[in-house]
Amino acid sequence: MFTAIFIETSGAAVRPVLSLFPNWNPIPKGESVTLTCNVTPTAQENLQFSWYRDGHRIPGNQQSLLVQLGNVTDSGDYQCQAGGSNRSELVRLDFKSGWPILQAPPVVHEGDFLSLRCYSRPGYDRKNTVFYKNNKIIGSPVSESELHIGRVDVTASGRYRCEQEVYYPVSNNYQHFGDEQLVSVSELFSYPQVKVSPNPVTKGNHMTITCDTKLSPHRETTELQFVFYRNGHNVQGFSLSNQYGVPSAQLEDSGNYTCEVQTPTGRVRKRSYVLYIQIQELFATPQIKVSSDQVTGGDHMTITCDTKLSPHRETTELQFVFYRNGHNVQGFSLSNQYGVPSAQLEDSGNYTCEVQTTTGSVRKRSDIITIQIQELFTAPEIKVRPDQVTEGDHVTITCDTKLSPHRETTELQFVFYRNGHNVQGFSLSNQYGVPSAQLEDSGKYTCEVQTPTDIVRKRSNMTLIGIQGEQK
């Protein structure tokens, strides 16, 4: 009997499948056949059944329809409907006169066992039954006018013919008869295709690879098993899932992917073509950059963590962190810049940065860049002229410093102190003069140098200046 296959649809509605008993087509004229409208066991009870031939409603409201003493006019494409379900797939039924009649199952799929029958009227002796496929004799043995071909694939499709000799008592001899029909073996399921989502796949994405196939409409509830390969190596063994998921795709997940589909027994098995999947970087490895090749003390220094997002993920939010000599100087934030308003010598060091997604699923660190802060000017020194100061001498005290070669036009201001007390306020002059030194001008002298904005300010060491009394 034709195997019943149940097709589920949304909700309570089911798509039924037709089966025939006996499971042959064509049927000899005058014989009967029973059609059954099979539904899933979970379908609601007390369903109202409807029957159709060639798209037109015919009498009958039960689950089975008996076509009794069939005639040629009963031939056609039959369908049934259970309740509010969709109609079943078409099943062809032909009533035929004459003999022999070559009979085959109305629906044959790869993996099925196929038998053919060379039917003659009962009561007539027959012999020498021979079957042909595409005009070539089939060598398989014939029993009771039936040819058991066995398990078949789509290559079994073709034009089949049977011939036999039938004895006629009236003429007291055997006469030669034959019949033929086209037998089509359908795919149980289509060759699978590997598909990937999203496409393209960016590093860190949840990647889903689907082994996409389609079951025959007559076998939509057949259980299938799926297996996945990357570069020929199994990454997910046979299971009922047609998907292979990678929660956070990495560059090493790139490769040539294939999948296979089989029935649980492995009798029908098909492999997809290769799909090459290249995992794209979500963002490039960052580069750390500094706003100026030469950073001088007091400069506003900006360090940038430079990276580039994939064109397909340009709206992805990234977080940045900065390190100096391995110590965190700016924690994770949305800013790719770390600013130092007034760089000092102690800001020199080995800088790196890291970039990550907000979830931390993708994280990359830059190479090291060494930043050396240059002095804007050297620490000042107190110098005095003359070296030996005698009471009444003109004394010149100089606050001596040297500007960086890159900043020689910077304006500096100078201030002088004796014994901690200001003796000459900030001015552009780096000298403090005493026209006629007196003993009370002796003391501990220091000076300071600063930029006009006081961003950089340095004080000299202390110098002791002693005024000697005039000799008489």
Side-chain angles (χ1 to χ4, degrees):
M1 181 174 177
F2 184 69
T3 303
I5 302 125
F6 305 101
I7 303 173
E8 300 261 5
T9 59
S10 60
V14 292
R15 187 180 186 188
V17 171
L18 271 181
S19 62
L20 303 182
F21 184 80
N23 190 35
W24 296 112
N25 191 54
I27 302 295
K29 180 181 175 182
E31 292 197 5
S32 301
V33 61
T34 300
L35 289 73
T36 301
C37 193
N38 299 285
V39 295
T40 61
T42 57
Q44 64 188 58
E45 298 179 359
N46 302 320
L47 285 174
Q48 185 73 28
F49 293 88
S50 304
W51 291 92
Y52 301 85
R53 183 177 63 239
D54 297 330
H56 301 290
R57 181 76 179 269
I58 58 176
N61 58 9
Q62 300 300 310
Q63 187 170 6
S64 294
L65 176 70
L66 174 63
V67 181
Q68 194 169 16
L69 304 176
N71 206 333
V72 175
T73 56
D74 294 312
S75 300
D77 293 321
Y78 282 77
Q79 289 175 289
C80 70
Q81 187 175 19
S85 72
N86 293 327
R87 295 183 191 179
S88 67
E89 282 293 310
L90 298 171
V91 174
R92 182 67 191 179
L93 187 58
D94 292 299
F95 289 90
K96 187 175 180 179
S97 58
W99 72 85
I101 297 174
L102 178 58
Q103 294 181 302
V107 179
V108 184
H109 288 89
E110 55 186 348
D112 288 351
F113 282 99
L114 175 62
S115 294
L116 303 177
R117 184 167 73 165
C118 198
Y119 175 85
S120 292
R121 291 183 183 178
Y124 287 84
D125 187 26
R126 54 191 180 273
K127 67 178 182 177
N128 298 332
T129 302
V130 180
F131 288 86
Y132 299 81
K133 178 188 177 186
N134 299 330
N135 297 319
K136 292 182 180 180
I137 292 178
I138 300 174
S140 301
V142 177
S143 174
E144 298 292 332
S145 297
E146 285 193 20
L147 172 68
H148 302 290
I149 297 175
R151 199 176 301 281
V152 294
D153 57 26
V154 293
T155 62
S157 299
R159 184 162 290 280
Y160 287 82
R161 179 176 178 82
C162 76
E163 294 182 356
Q164 61 183 201
E165 295 179 36
V166 179
Y167 180 75
Y168 276 81
V170 176
S171 59
N172 194 29
N173 63 6
Y174 284 87
Q175 295 189 22
H176 190 269
F177 295 94
D179 187 32
E180 67 179 32
Q181 71 161 302
L182 181 65
V183 177
S184 179
V185 179
S186 301
E187 283 192 316
L188 177 58
F189 52 87
S190 61
Y191 271 89
Q193 289 182 298
V194 173
K195 297 181 179 180
V196 63
S197 175
N199 190 12
V201 183
T202 305
K203 185 177 177 181
N205 279 160
H206 185 114
M207 176 175 71
T208 301
I209 298 174
T210 302
C211 194
D212 191 33
T213 187
K214 188 175 182 181
L215 279 159
S216 163
H218 295 280
R219 299 285 180 89
E220 286 181 343
T221 58
T222 300
E223 187 177 86
L224 296 178
Q225 296 178 338
F226 302 83
V227 64
F228 292 83
Y229 303 90
R230 182 180 69 244
N231 299 329
H233 301 287
N234 187 310
V235 290
Q236 181 171 289
F238 276 110
S239 72
L240 298 181
S241 173
N242 73 331
Q243 291 188 330
Y244 165 59
V246 180
S248 178
Q250 303 301 311
L251 296 184
E252 55 267 28
D253 293 311
S254 300
N256 293 315
Y257 283 81
T258 55
C259 70
E260 281 186 344
V261 188
Q262 70 171 23
T263 55
T265 60
R267 288 170 181 164
V268 183
R269 183 167 180 168
K270 298 181 182 181
R271 179 174 282 221
S272 71
Y273 287 115
V274 172
L275 174 67
Y276 180 72
I277 299 174
Q278 177 63 56
I279 309 301
Q280 316 244 336
E281 283 195 305
L282 176 57
F283 53 85
T285 299
Q287 290 182 298
I288 196 160
K289 298 179 179 180
V290 64
S291 52
S292 175
D293 292 338
Q294 293 288 338
V295 182
T296 304
D299 284 352
H300 185 110
M301 177 176 70
T302 301
I303 299 174
T304 302
C305 195
D306 191 33
T307 187
K308 188 175 181 181
L309 277 161
S310 163
H312 306 283
R313 298 289 296 277
E314 288 178 336
T315 59
T316 301
E317 191 173 81
L318 297 179
Q319 295 178 337
F320 302 83
V321 64
F322 292 83
Y323 303 91
R324 182 180 69 245
N325 299 328
H327 300 289
N328 187 310
V329 291
Q330 181 172 289
F332 277 110
S333 72
L334 299 181
S335 174
N336 73 330
Q337 291 188 331
Y338 165 58
V340 180
S342 177
Q344 305 300 316
L345 294 183
E346 55 268 27
D347 293 312
S348 300
N350 294 319
Y351 283 82
T352 56
C353 70
E354 280 187 346
V355 189
Q356 72 169 23
T357 55
T358 52
T359 61
S361 60
V362 183
R363 184 168 180 168
K364 298 182 182 181
R365 180 175 282 223
S366 72
D367 290 332
I368 293 173
I369 184 174
T370 300
I371 299 175
Q372 181 61 54
I373 310 300
Q374 307 285 323
E375 281 191 308
L376 175 58
F377 53 86
T378 59
E381 293 181 51
I382 288 281
K383 296 182 178 179
V384 62
R385 290 290 182 271
D387 293 337
Q388 294 290 330
V389 183
T390 303
E391 190 176 11
D393 284 350
H394 184 106
V395 181
T396 301
I397 300 172
T398 302
C399 193
D400 191 34
T401 187
K402 188 175 181 181
L403 277 161
S404 164
H406 304 282
R407 302 293 290 275
E408 289 179 336
T409 60
T410 302
E411 187 177 82
L412 297 178
Q413 293 177 343
F414 303 84
V415 64
F416 292 84
Y417 302 91
R418 182 179 70 245
N419 299 326
H421 299 288
N422 188 310
V423 291
Q424 182 174 290
F426 279 108
S427 71
L428 300 180
S429 174
N430 71 333
Q431 290 185 335
Y432 165 59
V434 181
S436 178
Q438 303 301 311
L439 294 178
E440 58 267 26
D441 292 315
S442 298
K444 298 174 181 178
Y445 281 82
T446 56
C447 71
E448 282 186 345
V449 188
Q450 70 170 26
T451 55
T453 57
D454 194 21
I455 292 175
V456 183
R457 184 169 180 167
K458 296 182 182 181
R459 178 174 285 219
S460 71
N461 289 329
M462 185 177 62
T463 299
L464 179 62
I465 299 175
I467 309 298
Q468 299 184 14
E470 185 178 0
Q471 295 181 357
K472 297 184 179 180

